Short mmCIF file of all heavy atoms in Angstrom, two decimals:
data_model
loop_
_atom_site.label_atom_id
_atom_site.label_comp_id
_atom_site.label_asym_id
_atom_site.label_seq_id
_atom_site.Cartn_x
_atom_site.Cartn_y
_atom_site.Cartn_z
N GLU A 250 9.73 -1.96 -33.05
CA GLU A 250 10.28 -0.75 -32.47
C GLU A 250 9.19 0.04 -31.73
O GLU A 250 9.46 0.74 -30.77
CB GLU A 250 10.88 0.12 -33.58
CG GLU A 250 12.15 -0.49 -34.16
CD GLU A 250 12.76 0.43 -35.21
OE1 GLU A 250 12.06 1.33 -35.68
OE2 GLU A 250 13.93 0.21 -35.54
N GLY A 251 7.96 -0.12 -32.21
CA GLY A 251 6.87 0.58 -31.55
C GLY A 251 6.61 0.10 -30.13
O GLY A 251 5.96 0.76 -29.36
N LEU A 252 7.15 -1.09 -29.78
CA LEU A 252 6.99 -1.60 -28.43
C LEU A 252 7.85 -0.86 -27.43
O LEU A 252 7.64 -0.95 -26.23
CB LEU A 252 7.33 -3.10 -28.41
CG LEU A 252 6.38 -4.02 -29.18
CD1 LEU A 252 6.89 -5.46 -29.11
CD2 LEU A 252 4.96 -3.93 -28.64
N HIS A 253 8.88 -0.16 -27.93
CA HIS A 253 9.70 0.62 -27.03
C HIS A 253 8.90 1.80 -26.51
O HIS A 253 8.01 2.31 -27.19
CB HIS A 253 10.96 1.11 -27.75
CG HIS A 253 11.85 0.00 -28.23
ND1 HIS A 253 12.12 -1.10 -27.46
CD2 HIS A 253 12.51 -0.16 -29.41
CE1 HIS A 253 12.93 -1.91 -28.14
NE2 HIS A 253 13.18 -1.37 -29.32
N ASN A 254 9.26 2.25 -25.34
CA ASN A 254 8.57 3.38 -24.75
C ASN A 254 9.14 4.69 -25.30
O ASN A 254 10.02 4.67 -26.17
CB ASN A 254 8.70 3.33 -23.23
CG ASN A 254 7.44 3.82 -22.55
OD1 ASN A 254 6.93 4.87 -22.88
ND2 ASN A 254 6.93 3.05 -21.60
N LYS A 255 8.65 5.79 -24.80
CA LYS A 255 9.11 7.10 -25.27
C LYS A 255 10.17 7.66 -24.33
O LYS A 255 10.19 7.36 -23.14
CB LYS A 255 7.93 8.05 -25.37
CG LYS A 255 6.88 7.63 -26.38
CD LYS A 255 5.74 8.64 -26.42
CE LYS A 255 4.69 8.24 -27.46
NZ LYS A 255 3.56 9.20 -27.51
N LYS A 256 11.04 8.49 -24.87
CA LYS A 256 12.12 9.06 -24.07
C LYS A 256 11.57 9.89 -22.92
O LYS A 256 12.12 9.88 -21.82
CB LYS A 256 13.02 9.94 -24.95
CG LYS A 256 13.87 9.16 -25.95
CD LYS A 256 14.78 10.10 -26.73
CE LYS A 256 15.66 9.31 -27.70
NZ LYS A 256 16.56 10.21 -28.48
N GLU A 257 10.48 10.61 -23.17
CA GLU A 257 9.91 11.46 -22.13
C GLU A 257 9.43 10.62 -20.95
O GLU A 257 9.66 10.97 -19.79
CB GLU A 257 8.74 12.29 -22.70
CG GLU A 257 9.14 13.30 -23.76
CD GLU A 257 9.31 12.67 -25.14
OE1 GLU A 257 9.04 11.45 -25.27
OE2 GLU A 257 9.72 13.38 -26.07
N LYS A 258 8.76 9.51 -21.26
CA LYS A 258 8.28 8.63 -20.19
C LYS A 258 9.44 7.97 -19.47
O LYS A 258 9.41 7.82 -18.24
CB LYS A 258 7.34 7.58 -20.77
CG LYS A 258 6.02 8.13 -21.27
CD LYS A 258 5.12 7.00 -21.75
CE LYS A 258 3.77 7.53 -22.21
NZ LYS A 258 2.87 6.43 -22.65
N ALA A 259 10.45 7.56 -20.23
CA ALA A 259 11.63 6.92 -19.61
C ALA A 259 12.30 7.88 -18.64
O ALA A 259 12.75 7.48 -17.56
CB ALA A 259 12.61 6.47 -20.69
N ALA A 260 12.37 9.17 -19.00
CA ALA A 260 12.99 10.16 -18.12
C ALA A 260 12.20 10.32 -16.83
O ALA A 260 12.77 10.44 -15.74
CB ALA A 260 13.10 11.50 -18.85
N ILE A 261 10.87 10.31 -16.95
CA ILE A 261 10.01 10.43 -15.76
C ILE A 261 10.19 9.23 -14.84
O ILE A 261 10.34 9.38 -13.62
CB ILE A 261 8.54 10.59 -16.18
CG1 ILE A 261 8.32 11.94 -16.87
CG2 ILE A 261 7.61 10.45 -14.97
CD1 ILE A 261 6.93 12.13 -17.44
N ILE A 262 10.19 8.03 -15.41
CA ILE A 262 10.35 6.82 -14.60
C ILE A 262 11.74 6.77 -14.00
O ILE A 262 11.92 6.35 -12.84
CB ILE A 262 10.07 5.56 -15.45
CG1 ILE A 262 8.61 5.53 -15.92
CG2 ILE A 262 10.39 4.30 -14.65
CD1 ILE A 262 7.60 5.52 -14.79
N ASN A 263 12.75 7.21 -14.74
CA ASN A 263 14.12 7.22 -14.22
C ASN A 263 14.21 8.14 -13.00
O ASN A 263 14.78 7.76 -11.96
CB ASN A 263 15.09 7.69 -15.29
CG ASN A 263 16.54 7.59 -14.83
OD1 ASN A 263 17.12 6.52 -14.74
ND2 ASN A 263 17.13 8.74 -14.52
N ASP A 264 13.62 9.34 -13.11
CA ASP A 264 13.63 10.26 -11.97
C ASP A 264 12.80 9.71 -10.81
O ASP A 264 13.16 9.88 -9.64
CB ASP A 264 13.07 11.62 -12.39
CG ASP A 264 14.01 12.36 -13.34
OD1 ASP A 264 15.20 12.02 -13.37
OD2 ASP A 264 13.54 13.26 -14.05
#
Side-chain angles (χ1 to χ4, degrees):
E250 290 183 344
L252 293 177
H253 298 318
N254 216 310
K255 297 180 179 180
K256 290 183 179 180
E257 295 81 4
K258 291 183 178 181
I261 292 174
I262 296 301
N263 185 74
D264 291 340

